[in-house]
Amino acid sequence: MSRYEKLKQNWGAYLLFLVFGALFFVLMTRFLTLQITGEAEGRDLAAQAQAQYAREQILEAERGRILDRNGEVIAEDTQTYKIVAVLDEELTTNEKNPRHVQDPEKTARVLSQYLNMEQSEILEFLRLDRKQVEFGPEGKDIPLEVKQQIESENLPGIIFLQDLKRFYPNGIFSSHLIGFAQPETTEDGIVKTTGQMGIERNLNDYLEGKNGSLKFEIDGRGYLLPDSDEAIKKAQNGHDVYLTLDKKIQTFLEDAMTTVEQQHAPSNMFGIVADAKTGEILAMSQRPTFNPDTREGLSDNWYNQIVESTYEPGSTFKTFTLAAAIEEGVFNPNETYPSGTYDVNGVPIRDHNGGQGWGTISFLEGFERSSNTAVAYLLEKMGPEAFRKHIENFGFGKETGIDLPNEAPGNILYNYPIEKVTTSYGQGTTVTPLQMIQAETAIAGDGTMKRPYVLDKVVNPETGEAVYEGKPEETGKPVSAETAEKVRGYLQSTVTSETGTGQPFALPGYDVAGKSGTAQIPDPSNGGYMTGRENYMFSFIGMAPADDPELIVYVGVQQPTMANTETGSMIVSKVWNPVMLNSLKYMNIQPAEGEAADPVEIKDYTGQPADRAQDELEQQGLRVTVIGNGSTVENQSVKTGQLMAGERITLLADGELTVPDFTGWSVRDVVEAASLAGLKLDMTGSGYAVQQNLTPGAVINGQEPLSVQFETPSEARTRTQQQTESPDSETGDVQD
């Protein structure tokens, strides 16, 4: 057989060889290409595998705490839950046990019963092209009770993750200073807590932590691959912010202001307590205010009026007119002048008794009576330009530089002769409460003025290192030490003199130096001032002890409702007096005469007999609650520090724990007791406890959460009145 014939006979074999050879060449070329480039169709294969099998879990950072000067918590993160819907169908490997949302319509309908969201809004989330979704702010801060109810609905694909909620355990507590933080959804769909106002916003960069992550690999069914690489990026918690506020003194101020608010319904009110020697703000509050947990009341007043708002101070400003006159050497307390009226280019300046005056009296008596004409004559003696220089040296007309945003500078209205005179008694020219506090530190501190500040320090929680520390700062020396001492003496006489306008502010056992004020309120309707006995800003700024001041307290109450027998100073004293007196006692500042009630020094009773500890604390005037029927103290709500008589302390004894009757307890006391007993707490409202879900005396099992409803005193009175007026009563009449 010829070669041609053999080739013709085996052509099929040759063809098959060529085909398989070509296929092998293509396969090897593809293999080598993938090995060398790592890409297919322009896509990175390693990246595709990583995307398919790699998973990343966010490790959420805690927002930094806000604390008072003693480390008492003002704001912190607490554990709640957030709801997540799994939409990835690939996670369901068993149709009988689905792990993703199978019925979006039903799921949306059920969830709308528990979340503050419309069914259609929830459905939009469930139809997103994502593996899983959250539901924004409304899907966060889910209480344990609601979580359990949703879980009982057995909705496939609905899961819960532990979450962090910003918690303000003290309710209304310097709310405009502290501000609040709330969840916000970023552009990439991540929900994070962000400061909205006050310290929470101003120091958000310090307070906000940085989330970490946990990266791991899973197989196609969602199981963790053995021996896979895990990468952990630790979360960095936010810095802790310590304020100069003292929780105890702040509570004194809040309680007193709430009482006056309920009794007299003023349109505005503010109060400040400052350390006279350093300028530290120990307490600061205003009305209207709001609850940072619920934001209730926030719409009534958004801004911090103590920092951002200006007003005409009235006669409290005469303190600095007197200081200027003494510094200029023109004030002789025994020299006389004709009170009643003072003429400024044909415009009469009248004393507050309708211009009648008190005849010819001494300048000291004129100051004690808060005579406008007295300071007008003093202005004439020292000269307007000298006075202008002094009030500028006291810091008026410019910002104090406090570590808070949006501070207003005020305005010295000093263009015309009439404006120069009215400024001498606190009308026309505007100031802020902080400027008044700063200027008053010069009188209290022998002429040396201190800048007010609220930020004590910022601490890195990982290292304990302070990355910022606030310190006392001198801002000038507007008067000499001799002048400051004389002014304190004359201010003291306004309180002790029979003719002094500061008489309502006398304190038992302590010498007080201060000045009252009754400032007119501008009337926007006619460009003048409002009329009527209630249409004033009533105030008092004072210090104690007068000879060596430790504290400065400034209180202003605008347009209070008052009875015919009441004066504006009487209403202001309902705040000023208890705040100053309780603060002096709390700081253990000894009275000039008599004895002040000492605060109770708390010691550690751990391991001691519970009944003996209870007796000892009650004998010192404290209210004591013991949780546990055992005989030995295991823990206590307040471990160190001081409490004032009438305050509450909770002791945890061994043995079986039972639920206390929380009726009448404050938010703070309930939080401390619940933490002590290991109870999960769900709270609504603010003020004092009126209702609880766990029966008093029932054994605490640690499973069922404690739900407590709180009401403010005004809310309780309204509810009682409504119940009294209910048509279910026999007569329907309201009874006193």
Side-chain angles (χ1 to χ4, degrees), residues 656-676:
E656 196 172 57
L657 306 184
T658 57
V659 180
D661 184 354
F662 291 109
T663 304
W665 287 37
S666 68
V667 172
R668 182 174 63 254
D669 290 338
V670 172
V671 170
E672 290 175 345
S675 174
L676 203 63

Side-chain angles (χ1 to χ4, degrees), residues 61-275:
E62 288 192 17
R63 188 173 176 83
R65 299 176 298 167
I66 300 177
L67 309 104
D68 82 339
R69 64 192 300 111
N70 301 313
E72 295 283 343
V73 174
I74 298 174
E76 65 178 345
D77 282 356
T78 186
Q79 290 287 346
T80 57
Y81 299 90
K82 66 178 175 182
I83 188 170
V84 177
V86 178
L87 307 181
D88 188 359
E89 297 182 8
E90 295 181 2
L91 291 180
T92 296
T93 57
N94 183 353
E95 292 295 332
K96 295 182 180 180
N97 184 26
R99 298 170 63 185
H100 76 286
V101 175
Q102 287 187 313
D103 189 343
E105 286 77 11
K106 176 187 175 183
T107 303
R109 183 176 64 255
V110 174
L111 290 180
S112 66
Q113 301 173 18
Y114 298 98
L115 304 181
N116 187 24
M117 299 175 69
E118 296 293 333
Q119 180 177 337
S120 59
E121 189 179 359
I122 297 175
L123 196 57
E124 287 182 14
F125 279 98
L126 297 178
R127 287 176 172 166
L128 292 173
D129 185 19
R130 297 180 186 173
K131 293 184 179 297
Q132 67 182 41
V133 295
E134 299 178 16
F135 295 91
E138 298 299 337
K140 292 174 66 75
D141 302 339
I142 306 294
L144 177 62
E145 181 182 2
V146 176
K147 169 183 176 287
Q148 293 172 338
Q149 292 173 351
I150 296 176
E151 287 176 332
S152 69
E153 300 282 357
N154 296 318
L155 298 173
I158 298 300
I159 61 175
F160 290 88
L161 300 177
Q162 278 199 338
D163 197 15
L164 297 173
K165 174 189 176 183
R166 201 60 169 169
F167 179 48
Y168 303 88
N170 305 296
I172 294 173
F173 185 93
S174 195
S175 302
H176 285 83
L177 170 62
I178 305 303
F180 68 94
Q182 67 180 15
E184 286 186 345
T185 304
T186 61
E187 293 181 357
D188 53 4
I190 298 176
V191 179
K192 66 176 184 178
T193 301
T194 305
Q196 303 297 312
M197 65 177 295
I199 292 293
E200 290 277 27
R201 179 178 180 179
N202 197 39
L203 299 182
N204 190 70
D205 290 344
Y206 279 123
L207 291 165
E208 188 176 62
K210 295 182 179 179
N211 289 340
S213 61
L214 170 62
K215 295 182 179 179
F216 52 91
E217 295 180 351
I218 61 173
D219 62 16
R221 293 178 297 173
Y223 294 108
L224 185 67
L225 289 172
D227 301 324
S228 63
D229 293 332
E230 294 186 9
I232 299 177
K233 182 181 178 182
K234 187 178 179 182
Q236 297 179 18
N237 293 333
H239 288 67
D240 290 334
V241 173
Y242 288 78
L243 302 181
T244 60
L245 297 184
D246 189 299
K247 186 176 179 180
K248 191 70 65 178
I249 296 176
Q250 183 70 40
T251 301
F252 295 151
L253 180 61
E254 298 289 359
D255 289 348
M257 291 181 70
T258 297
T259 298
V260 169
E261 182 182 34
Q262 293 168 353
Q263 293 176 351
H264 300 283
S267 62
N268 280 290
M269 182 166 42
F270 67 81
I272 308 174
V273 182
D275 187 312

Side-chain angles (χ1 to χ4, degrees), residues 423-443:
T423 292
S424 71
Y425 56 84
Q427 292 289 165
T429 286
T430 59
V431 303
T432 68
L434 287 174
Q435 288 174 336
M436 294 289 287
I437 288 289
Q438 177 178 254
E440 194 81 351
T441 63
I443 306 302

